[in-house]
Amino acid sequence: MCGRFASSTKPEDLVEIFGVEQWDPTETVAPSWNVAPTDAAYVILDRAPKGSVDPVRQLRVLRWGLVPAWSRTAETAVKMINARADTVHEKPAYRQAFASRRCLIPIDGYYEWQTVPAVKGKPRKQPYFVSRADGGVLALAGLYEFWRDRSRPGDDPEAWLVTCTVVTTEAEPLLAPIHERMPLFLDQGAFDAWLDPALNEPDELRGLLVPPPPGALQAVPVAAAVGNIRNNGPELLRPLAAEAVDTGDLSLF
């Protein structure tokens, strides 16, 4: 499950890290430490520019929450923020994008909530921030799709909506106690194959749905403030004091 993430890396740095060849500096999104479904986010993809047949690595801004091309409305986006790696090749909402429209979603890290039994009253949710242990950018495997709003004329800039979703897999041992699933992230050596639109053989593609070996990630408890989308700042990443985790006092920063 991935329902919130942080994305504050400068686009100029993403261009360098991912070997981007095409980026429009006017296509930007503000840094965010609380990206929520339907928000805009940076995405890396390989796609042939209009009038060309050769794919070019691009940095784009897409909306998080996939809207299938055949969808009647864009309201499905909120429900399609994640795509399961074990069924992505066969689900109607994702299989076409999986075949030829794969992307990387570069993030600082993502939030996950662990259900903690309460001594009295209802169980509570303890949020964690999951990131690379080495502090690097976390490259999530994603899919993207184009959707045409038939209520608008074809020359209307708002007629086309481009959206994305995060592929998820079974959680590695460190994260399993927090949640049974995690985003599928990739190491640099897997970037080219994942982004290659010419790679469309189902069995070969399914072989790419393997996360790096365990040990690359770290999970840090953070304050409950992240649960409110109105809260947005680097303070959301501040580790929660150990005594606050133990006592259930999530008001501490």
Side-chain angles (χ1 to χ4, degrees):
M1 178 73 183
C2 179
R4 299 281 181 83
F5 61 82
S7 176
S8 65
T9 304
K10 295 179 180 179
E12 295 86 353
D13 293 334
L14 295 177
V15 167
E16 182 176 352
I17 293 169
F18 292 93
V20 170
E21 302 169 86
Q22 180 178 314
W23 168 55
D24 181 356
T26 65
E27 187 179 9
T28 60
V29 61
S32 176
W33 292 266
N34 202 354
V35 181
T38 73
D39 284 349
Y42 285 119
V43 165
I44 310 294
L45 55 87
D46 283 6
R47 187 173 180 83
K50 189 174 182 179
S52 175
V53 296
D54 297 322
V56 172
R57 184 150 303 175
Q58 305 176 32
L59 176 64
R60 301 290 301 274
V61 174
L62 274 56
R63 198 175 82 166
W64 183 26
L66 197 83
V67 179
W70 43 260
S71 181
R72 292 185 178 181
T73 73
E75 296 176 0
T76 59
V78 176
K79 300 178 182 179
M80 296 186 180
I81 60 172
N82 294 161
R84 292 178 63 98
D86 49 328
T87 58
V88 70
H89 64 289
E90 60 186 9
K91 291 289 186 180
Y94 306 118
R95 62 189 178 197
Q96 290 301 319
F98 178 58
S100 59
R101 288 182 291 278
R102 298 176 300 277
C103 63
L104 294 171
I105 305 173
I107 66 173
D108 304 338
Y110 70 97
Y111 301 96
E112 192 55 84
W113 280 259
Q114 180 185 36
T115 300
V116 180
V119 177
K120 295 181 180 180
K122 297 181 180 180
R124 62 180 178 84
K125 296 282 190 177
Q126 170 60 57
Y128 284 79
F129 183 66
V130 183
S131 61
R132 290 194 68 99
D134 61 10
V137 173
L138 192 60
L140 306 187
L143 311 174
Y144 69 98
E145 188 60 275
F146 295 88
W147 180 76
R148 171 76 160 85
D149 185 349
R150 300 294 176 183
S151 67
R152 297 177 179 272
D155 58 354
D156 186 337
E158 302 296 325
W160 287 94
L161 179 65
V162 191
T163 59
C164 62
T165 188
V166 174
V167 178
T168 66
T169 187
E170 292 184 3
E172 61 179 64
L174 171 70
L175 304 177
I178 300 174
H179 196 279
E180 70 273 12
R181 297 194 67 78
M182 70 175 192
L184 175 66
F185 71 102
L186 301 177
D187 278 341
Q188 187 173 4
F191 291 173
D192 289 347
W194 178 255
L195 294 175
D196 186 358
L199 185 61
N200 54 23
E201 184 63 35
D203 290 340
E204 192 171 0
L205 287 174
R206 293 178 68 183
L208 301 177
L209 297 171
V210 180
L217 302 178
Q218 63 180 0
V220 178
V222 294
V226 67
N228 188 329
I229 60 174
R230 291 192 295 271
N231 297 324
N232 196 332
E235 68 276 2
L236 295 178
L237 308 187
R238 190 176 302 164
L240 196 63
E243 59 270 22
V245 179
D246 294 339
T247 63
D249 182 4
L250 303 186
S251 63
L252 300 178
F253 263 75

